[in-house]
Amino acid sequence: MSASQSLRELISNCELPANEARILLAHLLEKHYQLPRSALLSRDEMSLNELAFLEWKSLVSRRVLGEPIAYILGKKGFHNIELQVDPGVLIPRPETELLVEIALTEITKLNKHIRVLDLGTGSGAIALSIASAAPLVSLIATDQSTEALAIAKQNAQSLNLLDQVQFLLGNWYAALTEQSQFDVIVSNPPYIAHQDPHLTQGDLRFEPKSALTDYASGLSCLEIIIAGADQYLKPGGLIAIEHGFDQSEAVVELMKVAGLIDVQTHIDLAGHFRAASGRKDLKTGKGN
Ligand code: GLN
């Protein structure tokens, strides 16, 4: 690679797939030249200055070693927002937007001042997308990682959503007072079983292990969260939780055992059962 190569040549001579090379190059064009992504085409004869070219080489070699693009760029789009991410947090996945949609559908139906709880917020993706789309909702987002909470708070600040979201340090419900109750609880907990080979492949190798696996069967965090729903939901309140593509039956069963009613499964854009929701009974305050 030499600094005199045009953008077109940089992409075609790059060892990365062209779509990835374009993403990295667009990032550098923005950063060093304040140029939009379209410059990849409109200015394809241009070459990078020495500094930008050195950075190009460094970004390409990081990606060649397998580092996820989101960590290299330090950001990831999710639902209608952009989040800052680093290796202290899980990279938000498109399939998790399903939880945001389930929560927003419920919020629209309720049409009043609503309290939402996001357990294991990571980068803040779920809580902040809900806050951004529903300005009257107030949220509590918990995480047991101080590192993750720091990133989530920074994201809340950049998105101007600090007024709407309170961040608490603690494992699942541990940071809440016993009397707290919510209209909606959402969570994308770690649900990959500890022996699952995916943990040692691709992007997942770079993500925080505690955000991916429960170090057990994959169901233990889902179990804790579902078991606490009755206490922390208002009567009639809804819990929606993400799970693995093969955990739907188990999660539905856990919800029924926990006394939740109106248990439903939800399918993601890839066609997998990806989330389940259930409700606390409105009349008795206990499900049947
Ligand atoms: N959906 C993620 C994956 O399969 C896992 C995230 C999680 O465990 N919540 O890569």
Side-chain angles (χ1 to χ4, degrees), residues 80-185:
N80 290 331
I81 58 177
E82 189 175 89
L83 295 144
Q84 186 188 320
V85 291
D86 76 15
V89 292
L90 188 81
I91 300 166
R93 314 275 204 270
E95 58 266 30
T96 304
E97 293 178 6
L98 182 59
L99 279 189
V100 177
E101 290 303 332
I102 296 168
L104 288 175
T105 305
E106 178 74 1
I107 288 163
T108 314
K109 268 195 276 179
L110 291 174
N111 188 29
K112 58 170 171 121
H113 182 78
I114 293 157
R115 277 167 56 82
V116 175
L117 173 64
D118 175 21
L119 296 169
T121 197
S123 63
I126 300 170
L128 295 172
S129 317
I130 295 173
S132 159
L136 295 179
V137 170
S138 62
L139 297 103
I140 289 185
T142 73
D143 208 289
Q144 45 89 36
S145 155
T146 33
E147 213 181 333
L149 276 190
I151 295 166
K153 277 185 206 166
Q154 236 169 309
N155 279 321
Q157 187 164 21
S158 324
L159 293 161
N160 218 356
L161 295 170
L162 271 178
D163 290 354
Q164 255 177 286
V165 190
Q166 189 188 354
F167 294 95
L168 299 177
L169 179 68
N171 206 18
W172 310 129
Y173 298 99
L176 304 168
T177 60
E178 282 179 16
Q179 299 76 23
S180 323
Q181 287 198 319
F182 299 86
D183 300 280
V184 179
I185 298 175

Side-chain angles (χ1 to χ4, degrees), residues 49-66:
N49 65 36
E50 201 61 41
L51 188 65
F53 181 68
L54 279 178
E55 199 174 340
W56 161 253
K57 285 204 293 190
S58 140
L59 299 192
V60 170
S61 51
R62 284 169 67 185
R63 182 58 191 150
V64 167
L65 290 173

Side-chain angles (χ1 to χ4, degrees), residues 231-253:
Q231 179 180 343
Y232 291 99
L233 280 176
K234 294 183 191 171
L238 182 88
I239 178 167
I241 191 162
E242 182 173 317
H243 56 67
F245 72 97
D246 56 356
Q247 292 169 324
S248 178
E249 268 179 47
V251 172
V252 163
E253 189 53 29

Side-chain angles (χ1 to χ4, degrees), residues 90-91 93 95-96 187-192 196 198-199 204 207 209-214 218 242-245 247 274:
L90 188 81
I91 300 166
R93 314 275 204 270
E95 58 266 30
T96 304
S187 183
N188 173 24
Y191 51 68
I192 301 179
D196 191 316
H198 290 106
L199 290 170
L204 275 68
E207 293 182 290
K209 210 156 184 202
S210 62
L212 292 164
T213 178
D214 61 350
E242 182 173 317
H243 56 67
F245 72 97
Q247 292 169 324
R274 181 59 66 189

Side-chain angles (χ1 to χ4, degrees), residues 20-35:
E20 295 191 355
R22 281 193 204 99
I23 293 170
L24 297 180
L25 202 46
H27 171 72
L28 292 176
L29 288 175
E30 218 258 306
K31 180 174 167 188
H32 291 271
Y33 301 92
Q34 290 79 48
L35 284 171

